[in-house]
Structure formats: C-alpha cells, structure tokens
Amino acid sequence: MVMQNTGMAEANEMLKVEGLSKTFDGHFALENISFSVLRGEIVGLIGRSGAGKTTLLRCLNGAETLDSGHVLVEGKNLSVLKERELLALRQRIGLVFQGFNLLQSRTVAGNISLGLEILGIPKKERQHRIQELIHLVGLEEHETKHPSQLSGGQKQRVGIARALAGHPAILLCDEATSALDPEATTSILALLKAVNKELGVTVILITHEMDVIRRLAHRVLVLDQGRIVEDISSELLHKGEAKHALTQSFISRLPNNGEDMEAAGYASSGF
Amino acid sequence: MHHQVFDLFFKATLATLEMVFASAAIAVLFGLPLAILLTITRSGGLWPVRPIGRILGVVVDLTRAVPFIILLVVLIPFTRLVMGTALGTAAAIVPLSITAIPYFARIAEVSLREVSPELIDAVRAMGATRTKVVRSVLIPEALPGLVSGLTVTLVTLISASAMAGVVGAGGLGDLAIRYGYQRFNTTMMLWVVSILVVLTILVQIVGNSISARLRKNFI
C-alpha cells in the first residue's frame, strides 16, 4: 500500500500529479505536468481558454486516460483503479461547475439529494443531511423551489451543497463563478472560503479570472499551452514576484490594485 | 339513440380503448428501454457501443417501414403463438404493439437526446453509475417530452386500431366499415367518426396538460 510507507509530508498531500501528459491526435493537450496540493489548501489554476484547464480537471477526476504520468488522490493512483474503485474515489472529490448542472426535474432538496443517492445513502438518513447542507449554503427558504426559479448565485449554492453531500476531501471548481454577476461571485467565493476554513475541504479553483484567484487562493498555478509555467504562493504573487510573462499579464489585467476595486464594489452596494 | 345501437357503440368504444391503451402500455414497456439504448449507444453517449445502436436502429426502422395493414396480416402466425388466437380484440393488441414499440422508441429517443450531455457527464463525473444516470437524470429530465411522445403514440394507435377490424378485433373502426360503409349507414359512420375525433381530442388535451405541468419547472 502506498499510504503505509509515506512520510509525514506526503501524508499531508491531498493530491499529487506527476509527469502527467495527455495528447489528442498526437498533439499535446497537457505536457509533463507535476504539482501537488496539500490538505486544506486553496489552489487556483489559471490559464487562457484552450490552455488545457478542463482536460487537466478531467484527468484529476479519472475521466481521461493518461498518456503518461499519474494522478494520486489521497495516495491512491487513479490509473490503476478498477471502475468501481474509481467511482468510489470520485465521491471523495466534489465537483462544482460553471453551468451548475442541476436537474431541472428536481427541487433544491432533490438536487442535493442526488449527491447522497450516488453515495448509496439510504433515504431515511438522507433527509437529515439534506437539511444540514441547505442550512450550510443558506437556502432554507428555497428548499422546495426548482432551479428555474433560482438566481445564478442560488443555483451555484445548490451545486456546492450537492458537491459537499458526501463529505468530500477535495472540491474541484471549474469556472464556478464565471457565469455569475459580481455580487453573486462575491457571495459564492465567500461560501467557498468558509467551506475551506470550517470544513477543512481542500479547494482547487480552475478559472481564467485572476481576480477570483486573488481573492481566494493560497497558491497559483499558471497553465499555458498544456504546461505549468508558474507555481507561486499568493503572498509572492502579491509582492510582484511572478516570473512568467503570462502571470504578469493576468495580473496587469486586474483593475489596478485589488483593494481599490473592492472598495468601489462596497461603495456601489451602499456601504 | 336506440338501445341496441347504443350498446353497439359502447362495446366498440370499449374495444378501441382496450386495444389502444394496452398496446400503448406495451409500447412504453419495450419502447422506452429501446429508446434509451438507441440514445446511450451513440458515439459520445453514456454507453457508446455503436454496433448495438446500429443494429437496433435498423430493426426499428425496418419495422416502421412496414405499413400497419400489412403488419396486421403478416403477424397472424406470431399473434397465434403469443395469444393462442389470431382473432379478436386481444389478438389485435399484438400487431398494434409491434407497430407502436418502434414508433414510440423513435419519438422518445428525440426527447432523451435533448437531455444536456454536459449534465450527464457531470453526474457521471460525480461518481454515478450508468444505471443511476439513466434513472435519475435521463428519464426524469426527458419526462415532459416522453409524455408528449406517448400522447402522439396514443393518437396514432387510435387511428391504427380502426384497421384491426381485419382480424375481427371489433372497435369503432370496424363498426364504421361494417355498418357505415358496407350497409350505407351514413349516420352510423358520422357517429363513429365523431367518437374517434372526441377520443383523439381528449387524449391530446390530457396529454398536453400533463406534459405542460411537468414542463412548468423546466427553463
């Protein structure tokens, strides 16, 4: 077993990617990617569209077969797992999507229930957990509504509650706020921060918006043409120590200094 | 209306309803799984085993290509095997079902295909088995469309059941042919047609309202 002979540092590794490559029609979508994410960390993965972000996310989830390298989630190598084991491991990873991907045929409670049904939790035990989750994401008044009656931010809250249903170790957020207005983005980012802090869930944010990363991530990975070109802590990033030109271009597109924008945001919302 | 004539109409209407609803039930029972298989075996689908989809597709299209009146006669030996007899209302259910299964399957397939592939991928990525995706995503999300499809199938069955008189199945169509056409009883013919029209409209109204109620929660 991998877990038995790992040291302290490695035991603290939630996710480890080593030499991962993935090609489509002989063309590299991801090339020799290596990084690791520690338990409880919030890591932002930024890149322009087509940089390979979604492919990487699919690799982390075991949805793609790798050409080389491997992905370890809590020390388990995804590529050697059988289908059943892979399904079980996927349940350790909560997924939050840009397009929410909620069932229109179900209410808020029903959508959250889906996350529990997938885990095979019996109906009687589901009810209590659903209430907990609804409370956690603050949708008490919307329990019996259908997604079509909710705002974007509310839909994403349902998505997050569903992703958290089975007490996942990791929350993978794929452009989770890209479809939301600034106000809803702020509230969803606050929720994700709380989930990380209070539940200790490791969060990986995939995005093309540096602003999202600036507000939430402890560490940033910059993906360009299938390669990681920068792996830097938020602290160093703020000090302007990013080395790669692409990282700098992402930062330069931020509205001047982050604080200014937040101040402006509060001003316009009446604070 | 004369008592005996009323009795005639009543029995014929019952026979038609029996044929239509029994074959519709069988059409859903076999047609829905068929539609699911046709949908999920497409490339990029939930279970992309293309050969299965292709073979089923050919079988479905061939069955649909045979005119019902021919099917009715061709299937007589098969009907006798299944029902013990090739005559009567119950026997007519066999060819009616055989024609309705692929019909409903193709219509249902269209609704199932409209379920967002992204949603299916997402639920799959969450760790759901294929069976779970079919039961909790594919069917419920396509339900309003499936109900509309069933409504269309029922209307088609009402019209097809009129031909079942050929195998002595009775029903309204048979009544219209025997009394209205062969005995030149125009009043009878008009009554039969009126009942068929009313039945069709009723099915359509009920079907549409159920579908609309289900669709209410969809964007």
Side-chain angles (χ1 to χ4, degrees):
Chain A
M1 289 292 285
V2 182
M3 280 305 283
Q4 282 165 347
N5 47 31
T6 50
M8 270 303 285
E10 278 154 25
N12 222 7
E13 254 166 18
M14 196 67 237
L15 178 80
K16 192 176 176 71
V17 176
E18 286 177 322
L20 187 160
S21 292
K22 173 77 190 169
T23 57
F24 289 114
D25 308 319
H27 163 83
F28 275 106
L30 295 172
E31 195 177 346
N32 196 21
I33 302 255
S34 297
F35 66 91
S36 55
V37 176
L38 299 180
R39 199 174 291 275
E41 222 180 355
I42 303 181
V43 172
L45 189 76
I46 193 167
R48 291 180 289 215
S49 59
K53 298 189 299 279
T54 302
T55 309
L56 181 55
L57 177 131
R58 289 174 58 81
C59 291
L60 299 186
N61 187 238
E64 296 280 355
T65 48
L66 313 180
D67 289 302
S68 63
H70 42 253
V71 175
L72 296 134
V73 176
E74 295 185 299
K76 287 192 189 109
N77 186 345
L78 292 192
S79 17
V80 304
L81 296 180
K82 294 189 187 74
E83 167 136 0
R84 284 273 150 199
E85 297 169 313
L86 187 62
L87 288 183
L89 194 94
R90 279 181 181 175
Q91 293 162 2
R92 298 286 298 147
I93 305 174
L95 295 175
V96 181
F97 308 92
Q98 174 175 12
F100 319 121
N101 287 322
L102 301 177
L103 299 178
Q104 303 192 60
S105 53
R106 293 192 180 196
T107 61
V108 166
N111 269 286
I112 297 173
S113 171
L114 180 72
L116 297 163
E117 291 163 30
I118 291 172
L119 296 167
I121 292 167
K123 199 171 182 179
K124 275 185 190 166
E125 292 161 42
R126 267 183 248 152
Q127 210 43 50
H128 178 67
R129 179 73 182 137
I130 291 169
Q131 290 310 320
E132 258 178 25
L133 289 159
I134 285 178
H135 182 69
L136 179 78
V137 299
L139 287 177
E140 291 91 343
E141 284 155 40
H142 307 283
E143 189 182 337
T144 56
K145 286 187 185 166
H146 282 258
S148 58
Q149 298 164 279
L150 301 177
S151 69
Q154 289 166 339
K155 283 183 208 169
Q156 196 57 294
R157 283 172 185 274
V158 179
I160 291 171
R162 178 181 66 183
L164 291 172
H167 302 281
I170 307 177
L171 208 54
L172 271 186
C173 306
D174 187 11
E175 301 280 9
T177 56
S178 303
L180 303 178
D181 60 46
E183 211 173 312
T185 298
T186 301
S187 82
I188 290 299
L189 292 182
L191 177 62
L192 289 174
K193 197 172 229 166
V195 162
N196 169 261
K197 216 169 188 174
E198 283 154 37
L199 307 178
V201 177
T202 306
V203 177
I204 299 177
L205 298 163
I206 296 189
T207 182
H208 66 278
E209 296 168 310
M210 189 49 111
D211 187 47
V212 166
I213 290 194
R214 180 186 60 77
R215 292 158 77 174
L216 208 60
H218 303 141
R219 195 153 60 90
V220 186
L221 305 173
V222 182
L223 196 65
D224 187 33
Q225 294 175 354
R227 270 177 284 191
I228 289 186
V229 294
E230 184 113 42
D231 182 343
I232 183 171
S233 76
S234 292
E235 235 170 288
L236 291 177
L237 189 79
H238 282 305
K239 287 183 188 160
E241 300 204 10
K243 289 183 188 72
H244 200 271
L246 182 63
T247 321
Q248 279 154 3
S249 107
F250 274 124
I251 297 168
S252 70
R253 257 177 280 153
L254 280 173
N256 241 346
N257 201 328
E259 276 75 13
D260 291 351
M261 204 196 74
E262 234 156 64
Y266 283 129
S268 67
S269 62
F271 277 93
Chain B
M1 204 186 289
H2 201 275
H3 178 70
Q4 278 161 325
V5 181
F6 177 82
D7 213 42
L8 216 55
F9 273 109
F10 186 71
K11 276 189 180 142
T13 307
L14 271 189
T16 293
L17 289 177
E18 186 191 337
M19 283 188 279
V20 168
F21 283 97
S23 1
I26 296 169
V28 173
L29 198 67
F30 291 92
L32 185 58
L34 200 55
I36 290 169
L37 280 174
L38 286 169
T39 307
I40 66 176
T41 52
R42 298 172 72 86
S43 59
L46 195 56
W47 190 52
V49 188
R50 293 294 293 126
I52 294 182
R54 286 212 188 89
I55 292 167
L56 289 178
V58 168
V59 172
V60 162
D61 292 339
L62 282 181
T63 317
R64 287 196 59 190
V66 182
F68 179 62
I69 191 84
I70 311 274
L71 205 65
L72 200 58
V73 180
V74 168
L75 282 175
I76 285 177
F78 176 70
T79 305
R80 193 171 287 133
L81 195 74
V82 177
M83 306 296 282
T85 170
L87 292 174
T89 310
I93 292 170
V94 175
L96 280 171
S97 305
I98 299 289
T99 200
I101 290 168
Y103 185 82
F104 179 69
R106 277 296 186 208
I107 299 180
E109 186 197 356
V110 173
S111 303
L112 292 171
R113 248 169 35 205
E114 275 170 16
V115 176
S116 150
E118 198 199 321
L119 174 64
I120 291 170
D121 276 354
V123 176
R124 192 80 174 116
M126 285 159 59
T129 59
R130 290 188 180 90
T131 320
K132 178 68 184 164
V133 173
V134 169
R135 280 171 47 182
S136 296
V137 182
L138 205 53
I139 297 174
E141 291 292 295
L143 201 56
L146 293 176
V147 171
S148 297
L150 177 59
T151 309
V152 177
T153 306
L154 281 168
V155 170
T156 307
L157 277 171
I158 292 175
S159 125
S161 73
M163 288 180 235
V166 172
V167 293
L172 288 163
D174 184 46
L175 199 66
I177 297 286
R178 281 193 291 129
Y179 290 82
Y181 177 70
Q182 287 164 355
R183 298 185 195 175
F184 304 103
N185 189 337
T186 310
T187 321
M188 196 93 161
M189 180 76 105
L190 286 175
W191 270 108
V192 169
V193 171
S194 309
I195 295 174
L196 286 172
V197 167
V198 169
L199 269 182
T200 305
I201 292 174
L202 275 179
V203 164
Q204 196 73 56
I205 288 174
V206 172
N208 286 353
S209 86
I210 294 175
S211 178
R213 190 170 301 174
L214 290 168
R215 223 179 284 266
K216 190 190 77 196
N217 294 321
F218 289 64
I219 296 159

